Amino acid sequence: MPRQRQELALALLFYILSSHGVAAFTEASGTINSIAFIAGHRRTAAAAESRISTRPSTLFGSNADLAEEENQRNNPGANKKIVLIRHGCTHMNEYLSVPGTRWGDANFTDIFDESSEQYDLFRDSPLSPRGVRQAQRLSAKLGHSLKGSPGADIDSSLGPRDENVINEIELIACSPLSRALQTVEQALLPHIEPLAPSSQDTSSSAPQKLLDGTSLPPKRHVPVVALPLGRERVYLISDHGRPVSELSMQFPFCDFESEIDKTKGDSWWLVPKDPNSNDEDYVEWRPNGEGQTYACLGELEVDFNQRMTDLYDWLSARPESTIGLVSHWGVIDWLIGEDFENCEMRVVDFDCMNRTGFMLSDAEAAEIFSQGERCVVRDTD
């Protein structure tokens, strides 16, 4: 571990011990991998330091409780947890894992004939069969019914504090891209009862039984809302969505009304443009110069950063104490500075996030993407 990271790790451990005692340190040691600056990608010392600076200051003695109360008033997200889930593997993820069609490869393209089968697999790319299996394994883990060797999968890594977090989630916010909605459908829906947008009933459904007679706990009513703020940064044609009129038919469990701006019509995503057009405001930031061609313009960093700041503010303003966010690699990387595998799940304290983000530079992202989609290589199904 580099010296700077060692110093930051020691600072974190000091904070845990001084503010919460040995018991909290013991618990934290089981989930410390969820702290981005310990196990994440390379980040500058300044970015890592900002994680510590956002934590409430530690006081000792009789004023500690009063300080905590004041912190709660000034920092409403202090006890909020975000359950981060990246979608399962898609057809585009698999395409990007093959040498010659990896991000940055010479002559790379995401342009396909709209009448071809490829176009249907890559535009708003859905889960591949592998991705469906990943989501189903995550569901099984959440239901404590996965068979096999512990740690054999990479889908989730929950410590004792969070292993029953599915029973704590009060709201699920989901990117309206199909791969995220499918992940909710396969991984989370078996454990919850979606709450209709107009309903205020948060009670539980009746207990259920499996075919073998095993009793299951009743499903809790949890709203599932489509949140365009949580969509992926536009890298490729796979990051352009489908009209709400289509999505609402395929995914009736989701609320497509509350958070989608109706003034933009049926297109809630960044509208595709011809990358060969003379757009004076656009500078190509994706790999280029070696024959790469793209079906649409990418989302500029300044626009993506603003959208992610809006997402952070949206999460901060929500009254729920535990929110599930089913989203994408680029979004999660911005929020916590971590590289997530397909269908990986982690529970993060909201006050460990930073409103300025932990986004990789385009050069750092290009280096990672050039290695291909590791989740596909490591999946042995």
Side-chain angles (χ1 to χ4, degrees), residues 38-236:
I38 297 297
H41 276 305
R42 297 183 300 278
R43 290 294 190 275
T44 64
E49 288 279 8
S50 65
R51 284 194 180 276
I52 295 179
S53 66
T54 59
R55 306 291 285 181
S57 58
T58 303
L59 296 178
F60 300 92
S62 60
N63 291 328
D65 291 339
L66 292 176
E68 179 62 22
E69 291 178 6
E70 182 178 358
N71 177 63
Q72 290 298 318
R73 289 193 297 271
N74 297 332
N75 182 15
N79 288 328
K80 183 177 294 186
K81 293 194 294 187
I82 308 298
V83 183
L84 294 172
I85 300 175
R86 185 190 174 194
H87 63 81
C89 181
T90 69
H91 292 281
M92 180 60 86
N93 289 143
E94 295 184 359
Y95 178 76
L96 291 169
S97 73
V98 179
T101 60
R102 294 181 302 194
W103 180 265
D105 282 353
N107 301 313
F108 173 89
T109 187
D110 67 334
I111 300 174
F112 308 101
D113 188 325
E114 293 191 16
S115 64
S116 68
E117 180 182 0
Q118 281 183 311
Y119 185 82
D120 293 334
L121 294 179
F122 297 140
R123 165 66 188 266
D124 187 22
S125 191
L127 296 185
S128 66
R130 177 181 283 107
V132 171
R133 292 194 297 272
Q134 289 174 334
Q136 290 172 344
R137 287 206 305 270
L138 176 56
S139 179
K141 283 191 173 186
L142 292 172
H144 304 285
S145 58
L146 182 65
K147 297 180 180 179
S149 302
D153 304 293
I154 58 173
D155 295 334
S156 66
S157 180
L158 300 179
R161 184 191 71 160
D162 300 317
E163 62 184 0
N164 292 307
V165 73
I166 189 65
N167 295 320
E168 301 173 19
I169 293 177
E170 301 165 64
L171 171 71
I172 295 171
C174 180
S175 159
L177 288 167
S178 292
R179 54 192 183 268
L181 290 161
Q182 286 179 292
T183 301
V184 170
E185 185 177 47
Q186 295 290 332
L188 302 182
L189 232 57
H191 304 286
I192 66 163
E193 192 74 39
L195 186 64
S198 59
S199 175
Q200 300 298 319
D201 180 14
T202 58
S203 61
S204 300
S205 63
Q208 302 179 62
K209 289 188 176 182
L210 298 176
L211 293 177
D212 63 2
T214 302
S215 296
L216 294 176
K219 290 184 178 182
R220 296 169 52 251
H221 286 97
V222 179
V224 180
V225 60
L227 185 65
L229 291 176
R231 69 185 187 274
E232 180 61 291
R233 183 182 183 184
V234 178
Y235 296 97
L236 300 169

Side-chain angles (χ1 to χ4, degrees), residues 109-373:
T109 187
D110 67 334
I111 300 174
F112 308 101
D113 188 325
E114 293 191 16
S115 64
S116 68
E117 180 182 0
Q118 281 183 311
Y119 185 82
D120 293 334
L121 294 179
F122 297 140
R123 165 66 188 266
D124 187 22
S125 191
L127 296 185
S128 66
R130 177 181 283 107
V132 171
R133 292 194 297 272
Q134 289 174 334
Q136 290 172 344
R137 287 206 305 270
L138 176 56
S139 179
K141 283 191 173 186
L142 292 172
H144 304 285
S145 58
L146 182 65
K147 297 180 180 179
S149 302
D153 304 293
I154 58 173
D155 295 334
S156 66
S157 180
L158 300 179
R161 184 191 71 160
D162 300 317
E163 62 184 0
N164 292 307
V165 73
I166 189 65
N167 295 320
E168 301 173 19
I169 293 177
E170 301 165 64
L171 171 71
I172 295 171
C174 180
S175 159
L177 288 167
S178 292
R179 54 192 183 268
L181 290 161
Q182 286 179 292
T183 301
V184 170
E185 185 177 47
Q186 295 290 332
L188 302 182
L189 232 57
H191 304 286
I192 66 163
E193 192 74 39
L195 186 64
S198 59
S199 175
Q200 300 298 319
D201 180 14
T202 58
S203 61
S204 300
S205 63
Q208 302 179 62
K209 289 188 176 182
L210 298 176
L211 293 177
D212 63 2
T214 302
S215 296
L216 294 176
K219 290 184 178 182
R220 296 169 52 251
H221 286 97
V222 179
V224 180
V225 60
L227 185 65
L229 291 176
R231 69 185 187 274
E232 180 61 291
R233 183 182 183 184
V234 178
Y235 296 97
L236 300 169
I237 193 65
S238 55
D239 302 319
H240 286 290
R242 292 188 290 133
V244 168
S245 54
E246 294 181 20
L247 295 173
S248 59
M249 293 290 291
Q250 184 177 355
F251 305 105
F253 60 83
C254 189
D255 171 12
F256 291 99
E257 300 292 327
S258 299
E259 297 297 334
I260 292 182
D261 186 353
K262 300 177 181 61
T263 64
K264 295 182 179 180
D266 219 13
S267 299
W268 47 264
W269 62 95
L270 193 68
V271 177
K273 295 180 181 179
D274 180 359
N276 298 314
S277 65
N278 295 320
D279 188 334
E280 297 180 357
D281 296 328
Y282 183 79
V283 177
E284 183 57 77
W285 53 271
R286 298 168 295 184
N288 61 90
E290 295 184 288
Q292 294 94 341
T293 55
Y294 300 99
C296 57
L297 298 183
E299 186 173 3
L300 293 174
E301 183 174 335
V302 62
D303 297 327
F304 181 65
N305 275 330
Q306 181 57 59
R307 177 159 63 85
M308 291 300 94
T309 301
D310 292 343
L311 172 61
Y312 177 95
D313 290 343
W314 186 90
L315 291 170
S316 179
R318 293 297 307 187
E320 296 85 3
S321 60
T322 304
I323 300 173
L325 178 63
V326 184
S327 193
H328 306 270
W329 184 92
V331 173
I332 295 171
D333 174 67
W334 192 97
L335 288 172
I336 66 169
E338 289 278 359
D339 182 16
F340 261 48
E341 307 284 0
N342 287 116
C343 250
E344 184 172 353
M345 171 176 165
R346 299 187 207 172
V347 183
V348 178
D349 290 334
F350 180 75
D351 63 350
C352 284
M353 295 181 180
N354 192 313
R355 194 172 184 270
T356 59
F358 297 90
M359 181 178 172
L360 286 171
S361 69
D362 291 337
E364 289 175 315
E367 180 184 352
I368 293 172
F369 293 160
S370 68
Q371 302 170 15
E373 289 282 354

